[in-house]
Amino acid sequence: DGQATVSEEFTIGDSTYPVGAQLESVFNFDVFRATYSYAFLQNERLRLALGLGVYVLPVEYQLDIQTTGNRTVAEGADVTLPLPSIAFRGEFQIIPKLFLNLSVDGMYLEINNFTGGLLDGTVALEYQPWKHVGIGVGYSGLLVNVEGDADTDYPGGDFVGRVRVDYNGLLLYGKVSF
């Protein structure tokens, strides 16, 4: 959420907003993911797997602009988008108890007036002091780009606008497997 006062005149579509207009913005974005992968190659030192998954992305955004005596909502949406994905997983044992893990999930689809793309990747170094417990450090990134029109048949794609989210960074984690 954010607030600001316009210091320079600007235009959105056919509307021009003057200096001094008050802006209020909201942007909420969450990611829920479920993936199943099957190892097509596996031995004591290597595991390679392919899989299918689904990402569920609740997205809310809104821009309110208030000028003297007039309030305008320029853009906004509150939708939940399901995005299917394909997955690749790789685990490589470097030395006993130390592993290099790679994962990439991705998808792209165009349906009617909806376009969605997603790329999610992680590379990590994981230490497993015990058989079912690990700790790791890695680098992770996610890029999501969705564009919708109210006249689409895609579930959750009944919004007008474009949302692009790109984030990446350091990943520290603990793992328990069974």
Side-chain angles (χ1 to χ4, degrees):
D1 299 349
Q3 298 178 347
T5 301
V6 175
S7 60
E8 189 175 304
E9 184 176 279
F10 69 97
T11 302
I12 298 177
D14 295 334
S15 301
T16 300
Y17 299 95
V19 172
Q22 298 295 312
L23 301 178
E24 292 183 25
S25 65
V26 172
F27 182 70
N28 294 322
F29 180 85
D30 295 310
V31 177
F32 300 97
R33 175 181 81 176
T35 304
Y36 175 80
S37 61
Y38 176 78
F40 62 87
L41 178 61
Q42 183 170 334
N43 60 34
E44 303 81 38
R45 297 186 49 110
L46 171 70
R47 180 179 184 271
L48 297 177
L50 292 175
L52 297 173
V54 65
Y55 283 70
V56 178
L57 309 172
V59 178
E60 176 189 10
Y61 65 90
Q62 185 170 325
L63 176 63
D64 292 331
I65 304 170
Q66 182 166 352
T67 60
T68 306
N70 184 23
R71 183 173 181 89
T72 304
V73 175
E75 288 195 40
D78 188 358
V79 299
T80 299
L81 299 167
L83 300 175
S85 68
I86 58 173
F88 171 78
R89 304 285 185 263
E91 298 172 8
F92 309 94
Q93 184 180 28
I94 300 169
I95 59 174
K97 299 186 179 194
L98 186 63
F99 295 83
L100 176 65
N101 295 334
L102 305 169
S103 71
V104 177
D105 291 48
M107 64 78 66
Y108 180 82
L109 58 90
E110 290 183 35
I111 297 178
N112 202 353
N113 293 323
F114 176 83
T115 303
L118 175 137
L119 185 61
D120 185 4
T122 302
V123 59
L125 198 57
E126 183 176 303
Y127 176 66
Q128 294 180 353
W130 301 282
K131 184 176 181 179
H132 299 287
V133 177
I135 56 173
V137 60
Y139 191 77
S140 181
L142 175 70
L143 172 62
V144 176
N145 191 19
V146 293
E147 196 169 328
D149 187 338
D151 295 330
T152 185
D153 294 332
Y154 190 75
D158 57 345
F159 69 100
V160 177
R162 181 177 180 197
V163 175
R164 179 183 167 101
V165 174
D166 182 4
Y167 71 84
N168 56 70
L170 187 62
L171 173 68
L172 301 171
Y173 66 93
K175 174 178 163 180
V176 176
S177 61
F178 50 93

